[in-house]
Amino acid sequence: MGALPEDRPSGPELLDAARRLLLDELLPLLPAERRLDGLMIANAMGIAAREATAGEGPVRDALARLAALYAEELPANVSCEDASAALARLHRRLAEDIRAGAFDSGPKRAALLDYLRVTTRARVAIANPKVLE
């Protein structure tokens, strides 16, 4: 459930402000041996803010891509919890099929590589968007 429009600052905005404070003002005060800890916390805060901003979209998009790879029909209006469960199921199937050689050649291989490219790019957009710049 998201924040109401009048609820400001939003969760992602709060995370961003706290992250900036950590990086700009607190990190320089940390002893050298704790600097990496501070940077890891700031990175985690950035990821959490991007995930909160993205909402359910990435899970639903990933499920749609993987279902398309398998030519599976998705039920309309699936809950986010059910979408996550279906995505996990299809990921297990994909891993099994890759191990079994189902995507070793031909159009299936090209479709898998395309799926992996798009999926990796979507994950990097959340985890480390600067890499995509």
Side-chain angles (χ1 to χ4, degrees):
M1 181 176 206
L4 297 172
E6 62 272 9
D7 289 345
R8 289 284 177 239
S10 67
E13 291 168 340
L14 287 170
L15 279 168
D16 185 55
R19 182 176 182 273
R20 282 195 320 272
L21 176 68
L22 173 63
L23 290 172
D24 297 343
E25 297 184 32
L26 299 178
L27 196 62
L29 301 175
L30 291 177
E33 65 271 9
R34 300 307 306 258
R35 184 167 166 76
L36 181 59
D37 296 335
L39 290 170
M40 289 187 334
I41 292 167
N43 187 51
M45 293 168 79
I47 292 169
R50 289 186 294 276
E51 284 179 346
T53 298
E56 299 175 2
V59 170
R60 292 182 185 283
D61 292 347
L63 177 58
R65 285 191 305 273
L66 195 48
L69 181 68
Y70 281 111
E72 278 196 17
E73 290 287 325
L74 293 176
N77 300 322
V78 65
S79 71
C80 189
E81 184 176 304
D82 289 342
S84 293
L87 183 59
R89 176 183 58 80
L90 284 174
H91 274 147
R92 285 189 299 275
R93 178 179 171 188
L94 181 64
E96 291 168 4
D97 287 347
I98 289 171
R99 281 192 292 273
F103 293 97
D104 283 355
S105 63
K108 281 187 157 188
R109 178 179 173 82
L112 172 65
L113 292 176
D114 184 56
Y115 166 77
L116 292 173
R117 267 187 224 98
V118 172
T119 298
T120 300
R121 186 171 187 77
R123 287 181 176 178
V124 170
I126 296 290
N128 192 358
K130 289 181 182 177
V131 170
L132 299 176
E133 293 173 0

